[in-house]
Amino acid sequence: MKRNSYLTVVISVLVLVVMGLAVYFIFFNEDELPVIQEPTPFTLTNALNGETYNSDNGKVKVVTFFYTNCPDICPLTLRDFMKLEKELKAEGLYGNDVELVAITVDPEVDTVPVLKNYGDAFQAEPTGWKLLTGEKVDIDRITRQLQFYYSKANSGLVTHATTMYVIDRNHDVRAVAQMATAGDEPVDIESIMEDVKVLANEKE
């Protein structure tokens, strides 16, 4: 009788442990990076090679907005993109699984030749870097979906938000980061690398 009682206790404990683990994995071990936004894919021109770029390509993307006449935040951010490129290459992710995407918010000025020269200044390697321009209406649709604010003054100066986006293979925004500032706050490369490695390991 005591033996049966002992077995019953052991089985009950095991059942509780299994149930506890199940609850943990269901409720507390969800995707580390939840879906934040679900923008639709877009098509723009990649100035680095003059080809049409389709964002619905099954790759993880770090997306930022910029313009070539920006005096501070944009060039600082793209300088940090150079560091991201180096880190991604070290992990074997650059171009194959992860892309660095920079979209101009001043397409009237930032034509393909202008962006090509700008990209050359940052040694942007086209296998993984995408410097994009296109029709303003198309760029505006992208910024609206991502809730990225910008406004161009008559002087040519563009006021813009500083949000960057980490987009997964299914084209969903899974994390956000901040562009570099004119002070001593560079792009958080370490955090972005953690995010893209998680997303690169996910299947579509």
Side-chain angles (χ1 to χ4, degrees), residues 33 53 55 57-63 88 93-101 128 165-172 174 192-193 195-202 204:
L33 300 173
Y53 174 79
S55 67
N57 59 8
K59 296 183 181 181
V60 176
K61 300 164 188 65
V62 181
V63 178
L88 290 168
L93 298 172
Y94 185 75
N96 299 315
D97 295 285
V98 183
E99 297 176 331
L100 302 176
V101 178
Y165 307 85
V166 181
I167 296 178
D168 67 14
R169 296 183 187 275
N170 295 314
H171 213 274
D172 295 328
R174 301 285 294 281
I192 291 176
M193 283 300 301
D195 293 340
V196 298
K197 283 190 284 188
V198 168
L199 299 180
N201 288 326
E202 290 184 346
E204 289 186 71

Side-chain angles (χ1 to χ4, degrees), residues 4-25:
N4 290 338
S5 297
Y6 176 76
L7 288 173
T8 300
V9 171
V10 170
I11 292 172
S12 298
V13 171
L14 289 174
V15 169
L16 289 173
V17 169
V18 171
M19 290 178 63
L21 288 173
V23 169
Y24 172 80
F25 282 108

Side-chain angles (χ1 to χ4, degrees), residues 46-96:
N46 181 12
L48 295 181
N49 57 16
E51 296 178 358
T52 298
Y53 174 79
N54 188 338
S55 67
D56 190 17
N57 59 8
K59 296 183 181 181
V60 176
K61 300 164 188 65
V62 181
V63 178
T64 191
F65 294 92
F66 79 108
Y67 69 110
T68 58
N69 286 330
C70 179
D72 41 41
I73 293 177
C74 300
L76 289 174
T77 298
L78 294 188
R79 193 175 302 162
D80 286 337
F81 260 37
M82 296 173 69
K83 298 175 185 177
L84 268 172
E85 176 186 332
K86 183 177 179 180
E87 293 287 334
L88 290 168
K89 285 181 175 178
E91 295 288 340
L93 298 172
Y94 185 75
N96 299 315

Side-chain angles (χ1 to χ4, degrees), residues 54 72 104-105 108 125 166 185:
N54 188 338
D72 41 41
T104 181
V105 289
E108 297 92 345
E125 189 173 317
V166 181
E185 295 185 23

